[in-house]
C-alpha cells in the first residue's frame, strides 16, 4: 500500500495551483469517499489494535506504527454508519490534521485521482447541516460516473477532541478591547466546524464575523464590494482563509485578491490544518500576511490584535 503514496512529496507541488489529489477509499461496498493526499502520511494494512478503555466511542483503539502510539478512529461509525465487522480489506489511513496524528479505520483503499478545485463542489444544500461531508465530486470509473464524498475530517475530529476556545491569561490586550468591538473579519472555510471554531474565538473580542464557505464565494463577495465603490481593506480588519476549499483554494483566492488593485491591500491570514514549512513558503509565494496552523486560539487572537495595532 505504501506505493500508493510513494510520490506524496512531489504531489505537494499541486497545492497553490488550484489542484489537489484525492485518496479514494470505501467504508461501504457501494460508495466512494476521499480525503486530500496532502494530509495523508501513509496507508497501512490493519495492524494489531490495542483497546483504549474510557476513550470516545468512535476511537477503535491504539495502533503502534513505527514506535508511535496512534489513536485509531473508526471512520464508518464516526460519520453515522452502522457498525460492520472488520474484514481483510480494512486499512488505516494515517493523517496529520491540526498538528496531531491520527489513523482512520476504513475499508478498501482504491487509488489516487488528480483534480482541480473547480471540479470539487459543496454538498447539496438539501443535505442539511449535520452531514460529515465538506465537498463532493464525480469521477469516471469502469465506464460509469461515480459520486465521491469528501469527508469533513475537522468535523469528525471536533466531535472526538475537545477544542477549547478559551484564551490563556495575558493574551487579551485590554487596551485594544474598545478598538476591536465592531471590527469585521471575513472567515473563508469550507468546514462549518472550522468556521465555528474561529467565530467562537474571535467573538470574545467583540468582532463581527462574515463567513464564506469557499474561495470563489469569498472572491465574488469582495468583487461586489469593490464594484459598489467600497474600499475592501477599510471594510475588513482582515480575511482569514483556509487553504483547501471547493471551487477555489485559499492560495488562488489570495493571488486573485492581490492581483486586483481595489482589494490588494487587504490583510490576509492563512489558517489551515495543513502544517509545515511548505505552507510558509506558499504564504510568501501568493502574498499572505500571516500563517497559522489550526487550531490555536491564542495565536489567532494575537494576529488579530497585532493587525489592529498597525492601524492605530
Amino acid at each position: 500500500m505504501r506505493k500508493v503514496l510513494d510520490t506524496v512529496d512531489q504531489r505537494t507541488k499541486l497545492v497553490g495551483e488550484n489542484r489537489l489529489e484525492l485518496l479514494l477509499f470505501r467504508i461501504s461496498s457501494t460508495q466512494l469517499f476521499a480525503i486530500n493526499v496532502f494530509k495523508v502520511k501513509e496507508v497501512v494494512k490493519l495492524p494489531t489494535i490495542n483497546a483504549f478503555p474510557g476513550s470516545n466511542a468512535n476511537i477503535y483503539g491504539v495502533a503502534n506504527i513505527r514506535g508511535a502510539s496512534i489513536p485509531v478512529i473508526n471512520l464508518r461509525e464516526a460519520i453515522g454508519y452502522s457498525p460492520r465487522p472488520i474484514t481483510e480489506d480494512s486499512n488505516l489511513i494515517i493523517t496529520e490534521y491540526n498538528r496531531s496524528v491520527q489513523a482512520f479505520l476504513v475499508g478498501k483503499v482504491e487509488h489516487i485521482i488528480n483534480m482541480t478545485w473547480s471540479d470539487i463542489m459543496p454538498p447539496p444544500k438539501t443535505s442539511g447541516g449535520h452531514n460529515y461531508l465538506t465537498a463532493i465530486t464525480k469521477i469516471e470509473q469502469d465506464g460509469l460516473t461515480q459520486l465521491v464524498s469528501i469527508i469533513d475530517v475537522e468535523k469528525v475530529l471536533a466531535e472526538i477532541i475537545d477544542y477549547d476556545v478559551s484564551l490563556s491569561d495575558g493574551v487579551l490586550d485590554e487596551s485594544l478591547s474598545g478598538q476591536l468591538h465592531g471590527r469585521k473579519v471575513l472567515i473563508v472555510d469550507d468546514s462549518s466546524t472550522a468556521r465555528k471554531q474561529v467565530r467562537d474565538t474571535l467573538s470574545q473580542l467583540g468582532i463581527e464575523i462574515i463567513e464564506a464557505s469557499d474561495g470563489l464565494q469569498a472572491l465574488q463577495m469582495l468583487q461586489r464590494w469593490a464594484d459598489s465603490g467600497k474600499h475592501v481593506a477599510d471594510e475588513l480588519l482582515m480575511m482569514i482563509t483556509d487553504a483547501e476549499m471547493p471551487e477555489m483554494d485559499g492560495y488562488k483566492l489570495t493571488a486573485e485578491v492581490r492581483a486586483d488593485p481595489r482589494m490588494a491591500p487587504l490583510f490576509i491570514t492563512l489558517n489551515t490544518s495543513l502544517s509545515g514549512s511548505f505552507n510558509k513558503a506558499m504564504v510568501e509565494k501568493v502574498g499572505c500576511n500571516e500563517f497559522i496552523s489550526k487550531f490555536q486560539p491564542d495565536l489567532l487572537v494575537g494576529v488579530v490584535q497585532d493587525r489592529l495595532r498597525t492601524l492605530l
Side-chain angles (χ1 to χ4, degrees):
M1 185 57 64
R2 174 60 193 169
K3 66 182 180 180
V4 173
L5 297 167
D6 59 4
T7 58
V8 68
D9 289 337
Q10 298 176 17
R11 300 179 194 280
T12 61
K13 66 185 179 182
L14 298 175
V15 181
E17 303 298 331
N18 213 41
R19 300 187 66 83
L20 77 160
E21 287 192 315
L22 296 174
L23 178 65
L24 303 183
F25 60 90
R26 296 183 185 274
I27 57 174
S28 69
S29 58
T30 58
Q31 191 170 356
L32 278 172
F33 292 86
I35 61 174
N36 193 326
V37 166
F38 197 56
K39 296 181 179 179
V40 176
K41 294 174 69 69
E42 63 179 315
V43 178
V44 298
K45 294 299 293 182
L46 187 64
T48 300
I49 306 294
N50 299 308
F52 195 4
S55 63
N56 182 280
N58 292 320
I59 299 291
Y60 185 68
V62 176
N64 188 297
I65 307 293
R66 296 182 229 296
S69 295
I70 299 176
V72 176
I73 298 168
N74 187 327
L75 189 57
R76 177 183 173 87
E77 295 183 23
I79 65 173
Y81 279 66
S82 59
R84 174 176 288 185
I86 305 303
T87 69
E88 61 181 15
D89 284 336
S90 297
N91 293 274
L92 293 186
I93 302 177
I94 301 173
T95 67
E96 183 174 2
Y97 283 82
N98 302 351
R99 309 175 321 283
S100 68
V101 175
Q102 53 279 310
F104 292 102
L105 172 60
V106 301
K108 182 180 179 182
V109 173
E110 298 275 343
H111 55 277
I112 290 170
I113 57 172
N114 187 311
M115 310 285 288
T116 68
W117 277 110
S118 58
D119 297 323
I120 310 298
M121 301 164 288
K125 289 189 169 104
T126 52
S127 61
H130 300 291
N131 67 77
Y132 290 87
L133 304 184
T134 189
I136 59 173
T137 191
K138 295 178 181 178
I139 63 169
E140 295 294 327
Q141 185 167 288
D142 300 327
L144 299 173
T145 299
Q146 295 199 46
L147 185 71
V148 178
S149 301
I150 302 173
I151 298 291
D152 186 348
V153 176
E154 288 168 329
K155 181 173 181 178
V156 173
L157 293 177
E159 294 183 356
I160 295 173
I161 303 170
D162 182 21
Y163 288 108
D164 187 2
V165 301
S166 61
L167 303 175
S168 302
D169 290 342
V171 170
L172 278 177
D173 185 342
E174 298 298 336
S175 67
L176 297 176
S177 59
Q179 300 285 345
L180 283 167
H181 189 79
R183 298 272 184 167
K184 298 176 183 178
V185 170
L186 172 61
I187 303 171
V188 191
D189 201 305
D190 59 323
S191 170
S192 59
T193 297
R195 293 198 306 272
K196 183 179 185 301
Q197 289 170 344
V198 176
R199 184 174 66 245
D200 289 350
T201 299
L202 297 186
S203 64
Q204 300 173 76
L205 309 180
I207 287 175
E208 180 181 336
I209 301 299
I210 302 169
E211 299 183 30
S213 58
D214 63 66
L216 183 59
Q217 183 184 99
L219 180 63
Q220 291 173 340
M221 179 191 304
L222 296 176
Q223 288 172 333
R224 287 195 300 270
W225 289 3
D227 291 343
S228 69
K230 292 182 179 180
H231 296 281
V232 171
D234 293 336
E235 291 288 326
L236 296 171
L237 181 62
M238 68 170 59
M239 177 172 72
I240 300 172
T241 180
D242 188 21
E244 304 172 280
M245 293 177 288
E247 299 197 83
M248 179 181 291
D249 66 25
Y251 303 111
K252 179 68 171 176
L253 168 62
T254 301
E256 291 290 331
V257 170
R258 294 292 183 240
D260 189 328
R262 303 173 303 169
M263 300 184 287
L266 179 62
F267 191 96
I268 302 174
T269 296
L270 188 73
N271 184 43
T272 174
S273 54
L274 300 174
S275 57
S277 58
F278 177 81
N279 258 301
K280 295 179 181 177
M282 284 303 304
V283 164
E284 295 178 3
K285 177 181 176 181
V286 302
C288 289
N289 299 96
E290 291 285 352
F291 162 70
I292 305 174
S293 295
K294 298 177 181 176
F295 172 66
Q296 302 183 80
D298 287 356
L299 288 181
L300 184 60
V301 168
V303 167
V304 171
Q305 293 183 148
D306 287 345
R307 170 55 179 162
L308 180 61
R309 290 187 187 102
T310 67
L311 300 177
L312 299 179

